[in-house]
Amino acid sequence: MADHGHIQDTFASNPSPSQGELSVLFSGWAQTEPSHKFGPVVHDYIIVHLVMSGKGIFHNLGKDYALSAGDSFFILPGDLVYYQADYDDPWKYTWIAFRGAAAEELLLGMDISVHRPVVTARNLRKMQLYFTRIIHTLQQGGNYTDLEAGGYLRLLLGEYGASNGNSPQGAVPPATMIQQQVEQAIRWITLQYYQPISIENMAKTLGYHRTHLSKMFKQYTGLSPMNYLLKVRMERAQKLLGERLTIDQVASSVGFTDPLYFSKQFKKWNGCSPSEYRASLQGSGKK
């Protein structure tokens, strides 16, 4: 039976997702009705959609991505997004939700982030096959459902990495080693900004010494890692204040557990409070 807004759909979930490096949570596919919209929504897991046919729009960080068959869009934890089917040619898409200790690190290595959430398939047929096998595995169930679905997910992510130009044969090395290291740190920050972050933790995760990471980061960007993190959070907060969220929700979405502290930091950064900034957006006619 189809969900509201779907002409046809299929949904299957993992009865026993693991807490390991990578685990599929659920998967499915849908043929949507014209102009069907989903969101705005925030997830606490990663979800990727592959467009099999038709067209639609994916909205993320104030930017609209026009998508068609062969395009995929990734939604990362804490990321406020919405997506909408085309009126004349509504899309049919398939999706997989997953999580795991290695999940965001794998995407980081493929240069997939909130700033680069769209990947175009080099082999649409092959990707569709992996999605189909994951759905079928979840539908069948069994003692090894999580293991088998996770195996197909790894194959699928490998295909995404190759499609995104990050295969060993197609990778273009950065101009310098410092650029490579700092750009890796920047990608890590853009993926993790909504979580508690320390220089020690980031340096350990990336395999660098704390002092070395801080020095080369400022040399390359002009900002310390923590100031760069604050910049990412404040720019993200500006976007979220244009959505229908409370100030507390905006604060939580950009990594602040204390809304009052968030408001103080926002005012220091922008010269006005979050509520004043929102009022200015409404006064200028922005949504």
Side-chain angles (χ1 to χ4, degrees), residues 181-236:
Q181 294 170 341
V182 173
E183 287 169 4
Q184 185 182 19
I186 288 173
R187 288 195 298 271
W188 194 86
I189 288 173
T190 60
L191 283 174
Q192 304 282 342
Y193 71 90
Y194 61 92
Q195 297 183 2
I197 291 179
S198 68
I199 296 299
E200 289 81 4
N201 178 253
M202 181 167 64
K204 182 179 179 181
T205 300
L206 299 177
Y208 307 132
H209 189 276
R210 178 187 184 282
T211 304
H212 171 68
L213 177 62
S214 297
K215 182 178 179 180
M216 68 180 185
F217 197 99
K218 189 166 186 178
Q219 177 183 335
Y220 187 69
T221 67
L223 296 172
S224 69
M226 296 313 292
N227 280 338
Y228 188 88
L229 170 63
L230 181 62
K231 175 178 179 290
V232 170
R233 285 174 166 172
M234 292 297 103
E235 290 175 350
R236 178 70 174 132

Side-chain angles (χ1 to χ4, degrees), residues 6-22:
H6 294 168
I7 297 173
Q8 289 181 304
D9 61 28
T10 293
F11 178 86
S13 62
N14 185 349
S16 302
S18 70
Q19 300 297 321
E21 291 188 346
L22 205 60

Side-chain angles (χ1 to χ4, degrees), residues 122 158-159 161-173:
R122 66 170 187 173
E159 187 63 26
S163 296
N164 213 24
N166 287 285
S167 61
Q169 295 83 2
V172 178

Side-chain angles (χ1 to χ4, degrees), residues 22 26 65-66 90-91 96-97 99 110 137 139 142 169 175 180 187 191 213 248-250 270 276 283:
L22 205 60
F26 57 85
Y65 299 85
W91 52 16
I96 296 170
R99 69 183 181 198
M110 294 185 285
T137 297
Q139 289 174 328
Q169 295 83 2
Q180 182 182 25
R187 288 195 298 271
L191 283 174
L213 177 62
D248 287 8
Q249 288 173 326
V250 173
N270 292 278
E276 290 170 340

Side-chain angles (χ1 to χ4, degrees), residues 125-144:
R125 190 173 179 179
K126 190 174 182 180
M127 281 191 173
Q128 287 178 323
L129 176 62
Y130 290 142
F131 273 90
T132 300
R133 287 183 173 175
I134 288 173
I135 294 172
H136 180 73
T137 297
L138 298 182
Q139 289 174 328
Q140 292 298 305
N143 294 333
Y144 303 106

Side-chain angles (χ1 to χ4, degrees), residues 17-258:
S18 70
Q19 300 297 321
E21 291 188 346
L22 205 60
S23 182
V24 174
L25 300 177
F26 57 85
S27 186
W29 66 266
Q31 171 63 63
T32 65
E33 294 180 346
S35 300
H36 172 249
K37 181 180 177 181
F38 190 87
V41 64
V42 177
H43 297 302
D44 60 1
Y45 47 79
I46 299 168
I47 184 167
V48 55
H49 290 70
L50 169 66
V51 182
M52 296 186 285
S53 63
K55 300 175 183 177
I57 296 292
F58 173 57
H59 178 87
N60 181 36
L61 283 184
K63 183 175 181 180
D64 288 334
Y65 299 85
L67 307 179
S68 57
D71 291 328
S72 293
F73 57 96
F74 284 78
I75 302 173
L76 303 177
D79 196 16
L80 181 70
V81 302
Y82 69 79
Y83 40 100
Q84 185 168 6
D86 186 73
Y87 178 80
D88 296 315
D89 188 14
W91 52 16
K92 177 181 180 180
Y93 51 48
T94 182
W95 66 84
I96 296 170
F98 61 98
R99 69 183 181 198
E104 294 188 23
E105 186 177 348
L106 285 171
L107 295 186
L108 177 66
M110 294 185 285
D111 200 19
I112 296 172
S113 69
V114 293
H115 299 288
R116 294 193 62 184
V118 175
V119 178
T120 300
R122 66 170 187 173
N123 188 331
L124 176 57
R125 190 173 179 179
K126 190 174 182 180
M127 281 191 173
Q128 287 178 323
L129 176 62
Y130 290 142
F131 273 90
T132 300
R133 287 183 173 175
I134 288 173
I135 294 172
H136 180 73
T137 297
L138 298 182
Q139 289 174 328
Q140 292 298 305
N143 294 333
Y144 303 106
T145 297
D146 185 69
L147 185 62
E148 185 176 350
Y152 286 127
L153 176 60
R154 287 180 179 276
L155 291 171
L156 177 63
L157 291 178
E159 187 63 26
Y160 274 116
S163 296
N164 213 24
N166 287 285
S167 61
Q169 295 83 2
V172 178
T176 68
M177 182 60 71
I178 290 179
Q179 284 180 322
Q180 182 182 25
Q181 294 170 341
V182 173
E183 287 169 4
Q184 185 182 19
I186 288 173
R187 288 195 298 271
W188 194 86
I189 288 173
T190 60
L191 283 174
Q192 304 282 342
Y193 71 90
Y194 61 92
Q195 297 183 2
I197 291 179
S198 68
I199 296 299
E200 289 81 4
N201 178 253
M202 181 167 64
K204 182 179 179 181
T205 300
L206 299 177
Y208 307 132
H209 189 276
R210 178 187 184 282
T211 304
H212 171 68
L213 177 62
S214 297
K215 182 178 179 180
M216 68 180 185
F217 197 99
K218 189 166 186 178
Q219 177 183 335
Y220 187 69
T221 67
L223 296 172
S224 69
M226 296 313 292
N227 280 338
Y228 188 88
L229 170 63
L230 181 62
K231 175 178 179 290
V232 170
R233 285 174 166 172
M234 292 297 103
E235 290 175 350
R236 178 70 174 132
Q238 288 177 332
K239 299 291 185 183
L240 293 178
L241 286 168
E243 306 289 347
R244 294 182 178 180
L245 295 175
T246 66
I247 301 300
D248 287 8
Q249 288 173 326
V250 173
S252 177
S253 295
V254 297
F256 288 86
T257 56
D258 183 348

